[in-house]
């Protein structure tokens, strides 16, 4: 399987790339900064420099040639402005979907966030509110497309070691989840086309990942 990951230098993306490469898949990471390429190579991935804030759909589609799936795991990152939350977390996600459609790549996984269903509460930090609105807008845009999409909403992210056990459901409730387990769930979702059309929340839990994904599929 050839998988192209937007935000290829992110923590989740690097873990996923290493996992995919380890099982014999081809992972391609889209990165903005050429200086990040060595980290992707160390994870067993191919690095492609493509700034999704400034590229056009033709450029991005060219990087998706022969891909079996795309994953949007990009984000404007800590310290970025509210404006960049929109251009990256929403705009770049939509651009990747446009490019996937043009390139004939039907499978699309979007890493979103819990908490996007409700409007930001009064007094919420402006940048965090912009982030939540951007993630919700990206989800809504994707649901309107003729793609085999799956939206994954992780809980509070940690750098803990993976447990391989999770709660994966439409409404999981608040909780934490390691980035390593998020990566493993993304790989399992790639292997399970029947999860297309699902919006899933993910936190730590008791269920082995394979069983959790199988239960969602069934």
């Amino acid at each position: 399987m050839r998988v192209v990951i937007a935000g290829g230098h992110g923590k989740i993306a690097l873990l996923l790339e290493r996992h995919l490469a380890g099982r014999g898949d081809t992972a391609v990471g889209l990165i903005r900064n050429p200086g990040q390429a060595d980290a992707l190579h160390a994870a067993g991935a191919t690095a492609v420099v493509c700034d999704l804030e400034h590229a056009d759909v033709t450029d991005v589609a060219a990087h998706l040639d022969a891909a079996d799936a795309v994953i949007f795991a990009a984000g404007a990152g800590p310290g970025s402005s509210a404006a960049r939350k929109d251009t990256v977390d929403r705009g770049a996600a939509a651009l990747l979907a446009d490019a996937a459609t043009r390139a004939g790549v039907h499978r699309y996984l979007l890493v979103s966030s819990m908490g996007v269903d409700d409007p930001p509460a009064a007094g919420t930090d402006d940048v965090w509110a912009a982030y939540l609105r951007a993630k919700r807008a990206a989800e809504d845009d994707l649901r309107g497309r003729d793609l085999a999409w799956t939206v994954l909403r992780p809980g509070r992210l940690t750098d803990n070691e993976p447990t391989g056990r999770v709660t994966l459901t439409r409404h999981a409730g608040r909780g934490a989840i390691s980035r390593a387990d998020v990566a493993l769930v993304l790989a399992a979702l790639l292997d399970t086309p029947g999860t297309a059309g699902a919006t899933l929340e993910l936190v730590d839990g008791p269920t082995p990942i394979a069983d959790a994904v199988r239960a969602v599929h069934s």
Side-chain angles (χ1 to χ4, degrees), residues 161-194:
E161 291 296 312
T163 67
R165 293 177 176 272
V166 301
T167 294
L168 179 70
T169 184
R170 283 163 178 38
H171 302 289
R174 296 291 181 176
I177 185 73
S178 73
R179 291 176 174 87
D181 279 319
V182 175
L184 294 175
V185 169
L186 287 168
L189 291 172
L190 284 174
D191 296 336
T192 314

Side-chain angles (χ1 to χ4, degrees), residues 64 68-72 93-110 138-139 141-151 193 195-198:
L64 306 187
D68 297 293
V70 298
I71 298 176
F72 188 84
L95 175 61
L96 185 66
D98 289 339
T101 299
R102 180 168 296 196
V105 181
H106 200 49
R107 189 74 168 111
Y108 186 123
L109 271 57
L110 174 68
E139 290 187 11
D141 173 80
L142 189 58
R143 292 188 187 101
R145 295 176 181 267
D146 185 21
L147 293 170
W149 54 265
T150 303
V151 173
T195 58

Side-chain angles (χ1 to χ4, degrees), residues 11-115:
K11 290 183 178 181
I12 292 172
L14 287 169
L15 291 162
L16 176 59
E17 288 155 2
R18 189 176 298 279
H19 178 68
L20 292 175
R23 70 181 199 177
D25 292 321
T26 298
V28 178
L30 303 183
I31 56 175
R32 179 175 58 86
N33 181 356
Q36 299 169 341
D38 286 349
L40 271 71
H41 295 158
T46 299
V48 173
V49 178
C50 179
D51 185 347
L52 293 175
E53 285 185 274
H54 299 100
D56 65 27
V57 65
T58 302
D59 293 334
V60 181
H63 298 313
L64 306 187
D65 185 49
D68 297 293
V70 298
I71 298 176
F72 188 84
S80 57
S81 66
R84 288 200 68 228
K85 299 301 184 188
D86 182 70
T87 57
V88 177
D89 292 273
R90 180 202 57 79
L95 175 61
L96 185 66
D98 289 339
T101 299
R102 180 168 296 196
V105 181
H106 200 49
R107 189 74 168 111
Y108 186 123
L109 271 57
L110 174 68
V111 180
S112 185
S113 174
M114 291 181 68

